[in-house]
Amino acid sequence: MYITCLDLEGVLVPEIWIAFSEASGIPELKRTTRDEPDYNKLMNWRIGILKEHGLGLKEIQDVIAKIDPLPGAKEFLDTLRSECQTIIISDTFTQFAAPLMKKLGMPTIFCNELVVAPSGEITGFKMRIEKSKLATVKALQSIGYDTIASGDSYNDLGMIEASKAGFLFRTTDKIKADYPNLPAFTEYDELLAAIREQLKK
């Protein structure tokens, strides 16, 4: 029995922090998990920049409200969900993901929680579990599932490499060069075909 695990940002929706960086005019916030493998370090750095500029959850949510799924993402996800159990495993936060899930047809997502002060200031974050993507895939395997995984960033590599089949999707040239053993795709049709091929096995 297979279950497919997908990353969210960069795979199904645009990168939230890049969109917010452009909207707020703060170029430093363009840094993502494609650039920084240490997620805790990245998030603490982001929270420091938000504090420095007096920005909080509301400002980010206002930007997220204008973000749509990547072209073809919902159709890909709808097709995949009709053929295979599918979940999204993301290092984003429920406060960011909720409106995007509505636009994607309410798929199941496992993600994290922001710690937000009454003023709206983001003061911290709670990770669901350490190395949440890899830990989730291993947990699914422990209850009898074979996993297929796809993502674009450093923090997806654990779940991709631990799965029965794993694919890079719209990743960076550096990650492709560093992990030449992992098939890399840029189009949803290619990714869907690769997942379908694995489902036959």
Side-chain angles (χ1 to χ4, degrees):
M1 287 192 296
Y2 278 105
I3 189 162
T4 299
C5 303
L6 299 173
D7 177 38
L8 177 65
E9 294 178 66
V11 174
L12 298 171
V13 304
E15 292 279 354
I16 291 167
W17 287 98
I18 290 177
F20 185 66
S21 166
E22 290 168 354
S24 64
I26 305 170
E28 303 97 298
L29 288 174
K30 282 190 176 168
R31 193 167 176 77
T32 71
T33 49
R34 289 177 170 203
D35 313 299
E36 174 52 70
D38 186 330
Y39 190 74
N40 282 352
K41 180 178 172 184
L42 178 63
M43 269 309 298
N44 283 318
W45 180 74
R46 285 168 169 166
I47 289 169
I49 291 174
L50 292 175
K51 188 176 179 67
E52 185 184 317
H53 289 269
L55 297 168
L57 180 60
K58 182 186 181 304
E59 288 80 10
I60 300 174
Q61 287 179 327
D62 287 346
V63 172
I64 292 169
K66 298 172 188 164
I67 294 176
D68 288 320
L70 292 167
K74 186 176 186 302
E75 295 77 7
F76 160 75
L77 192 57
D78 287 346
T79 302
L80 184 59
R81 290 168 72 194
S82 74
E83 298 178 22
C84 174
Q85 294 292 319
T86 304
I87 60 172
I88 297 169
I89 307 175
S90 174
D91 277 340
T92 193
F93 306 94
T94 54
Q95 295 97 329
F96 290 180
L100 295 168
M101 292 306 99
K102 287 180 184 169
K103 293 181 181 181
L104 285 169
M106 294 306 291
T108 298
I109 182 168
F110 294 167
C111 58
N112 305 301
E113 286 280 339
L114 289 169
V115 180
V116 184
S119 64
E121 180 188 347
I122 298 170
T123 58
F125 57 99
K126 290 180 186 170
M127 302 299 281
R128 190 166 45 81
I129 190 171
E130 193 176 337
K131 294 184 179 173
S132 62
K133 297 186 181 190
L134 175 60
T136 301
V137 158
K138 287 189 171 294
L140 290 167
Q141 291 166 352
S142 77
I143 56 171
Y145 284 101
D146 284 323
T147 57
I148 300 169
S150 183
D152 68 326
S153 297
Y154 283 106
N155 62 340
D156 299 311
L157 293 168
M159 74 171 181
I160 289 172
E161 293 187 311
S163 291
K164 196 103 173 187
F167 310 108
L168 294 168
F169 188 71
R170 297 182 181 175
T171 191
T172 64
D173 289 339
K174 178 162 184 11
I175 292 175
K176 278 194 280 193
D178 288 348
Y179 295 84
N181 56 312
L182 296 177
F185 303 114
T186 57
E187 300 301 325
Y188 290 116
D189 287 349
E190 298 171 322
L191 180 56
L192 187 60
I195 293 170
R196 281 174 170 161
E197 195 58 39
Q198 187 61 35
L199 292 173
K200 293 177 190 171
K201 297 178 181 177

